[in-house]
Amino acid sequence: MDYLKTKHILLVDDEKALLDLLQTILQEEGYTNIVKAKNMGEALNSFYEFKPDIIILDIMLPDGDGFQFLSKIRKLSDVPVLFLSAKDAMNDQYQGFSLGADDYITKPFLPKDLVLRLQAVLRRTYKEKSETIVLKYSEIRFETGEIIKGKEVFVLTKKEFSILQTLYQNSNRIVTIDGLCQAVWGDAYFGYENSLMAHIRRIREKIEKNPSCPESLITIKGLGYKLIVERR
């Protein structure tokens, strides 16, 4: 299971058609945690709320430009940024790199080129960790997609993996039902609440001593779920 496919991606461009195209390209490659922003204001809000792992950024925005956006976020984060712009002058590329961009692709672009360069930046930035997350009665091993409970080994499905990783990224904190559904199913997450509950039940069967009385993956009534991590 490719751990990079669970990374959160923020797409910033003022052309809705291009944003939709980028989302489709990435979803076909297996990336599901995608948020779109069509101006700098939306991009900043998404940056603070969504906490992306990588940003694909246009330069020309209606309320500023990508250089300004990158300059602002570099004061707070070293999240990788990949420029995707129609501006192909070398000076623009030099400016992007001098501000801390990780790559620069000019429009028009080949989808495969974009995907490969995105993957290269993600691999450089997020090297797979072989850490074990310890829960009360079991252990999560994300690098192998497995749950170890006593002498039993359970393999996680793709959706179970995404749900657990989202909960782990917010460990010991509440993740709302809507937030969890969006992280796992993307923007078109409405109507997946029952499916989420079914996946939660199966995860509890793998991680809990008594799935009917969960102690690691607990329900916060009316809000969502919380994963209680004992040790990382």
Side-chain angles (χ1 to χ4, degrees):
M1 187 174 299
D2 191 344
Y3 69 106
L4 295 178
K5 298 296 177 67
T6 65
K7 295 301 180 185
H8 295 134
I9 303 173
L10 172 59
L11 306 176
V12 186
D13 199 289
D14 62 338
E15 296 182 38
K16 182 181 183 303
L18 181 58
L19 283 176
D20 293 341
L21 174 62
L22 290 171
Q23 183 177 32
T24 298
I25 291 171
L26 296 177
Q27 286 179 335
E28 288 177 350
E29 292 292 327
Y31 296 93
T32 56
N33 298 323
I34 299 171
V35 164
K36 299 178 288 186
K38 59 182 180 296
N39 56 56
M40 192 162 73
E42 287 184 7
L44 285 171
N45 287 337
S46 295
F47 170 76
Y48 293 126
E49 295 177 10
F50 184 58
K51 295 179 177 57
D53 296 304
I54 191 167
I55 301 170
I56 298 178
L57 176 64
D58 188 17
I59 293 177
M60 302 300 293
L61 300 172
D63 55 348
D65 62 49
F67 296 140
Q68 291 174 312
F69 175 78
L70 180 54
S71 181
K72 284 178 181 290
I73 68 170
R74 274 293 172 261
K75 297 174 183 177
L76 305 168
S77 171
D78 58 357
V79 60
V81 171
L82 191 158
F83 272 112
L84 181 62
S85 174
K87 300 186 73 171
D88 58 1
M90 289 305 300
N91 285 341
D92 292 314
Q93 297 188 38
Y94 291 151
Q95 184 175 355
F97 286 121
S98 69
L99 289 170
D102 294 82
D103 205 343
Y104 194 112
I105 301 175
T106 56
K107 303 173 185 176
F109 63 93
L110 294 174
K112 193 63 177 178
D113 184 41
L114 171 69
V115 169
L116 289 175
R117 290 166 77 169
L118 172 71
Q119 290 174 343
V121 173
L122 285 172
R123 287 196 186 99
R124 287 198 304 268
T125 308
Y126 303 104
K127 298 188 184 301
E128 188 169 11
K129 297 179 181 179
S130 59
E131 65 180 345
T132 298
I133 292 82
V134 179
L135 307 179
K136 189 161 187 177
Y137 298 108
S138 58
E139 298 177 353
I140 307 172
R141 296 182 183 173
F142 284 119
E143 74 277 8
T144 59
E146 294 175 334
I147 299 293
I148 311 299
K149 186 169 65 175
K151 296 181 179 180
E152 295 181 287
V153 179
F154 301 96
V155 177
L156 293 168
T157 67
K158 183 177 180 180
K159 285 291 187 290
E160 290 169 355
F161 183 96
S162 296
I163 291 167
L164 268 179
Q165 185 154 73
T166 301
L167 288 166
Y168 170 63
Q169 289 168 348
N170 299 275
S171 54
N172 303 316
R173 292 181 292 174
I174 299 171
V175 181
T176 65
I177 293 172
D178 283 351
L180 198 50
C181 285
Q182 185 175 30
V184 175
W185 283 280
D187 287 341
Y189 64 90
F190 294 106
Y192 280 97
E193 292 86 354
N194 289 338
S195 183
L196 174 64
M197 290 173 61
H199 287 298
I200 292 289
R201 280 198 301 272
R202 286 195 290 271
I203 291 172
R204 283 173 171 161
E205 290 171 357
K206 297 176 180 181
I207 68 173
E208 302 283 3
K209 182 177 181 180
N210 181 358
S212 299
C213 299
E215 297 179 64
S216 295
L217 205 178
I218 61 175
T219 301
I220 308 300
K221 191 172 182 180
L223 293 175
Y225 299 95
K226 182 191 293 187
L227 183 68
I228 307 299
V229 173
E230 304 284 321
R231 179 166 50 84
R232 308 174 193 218

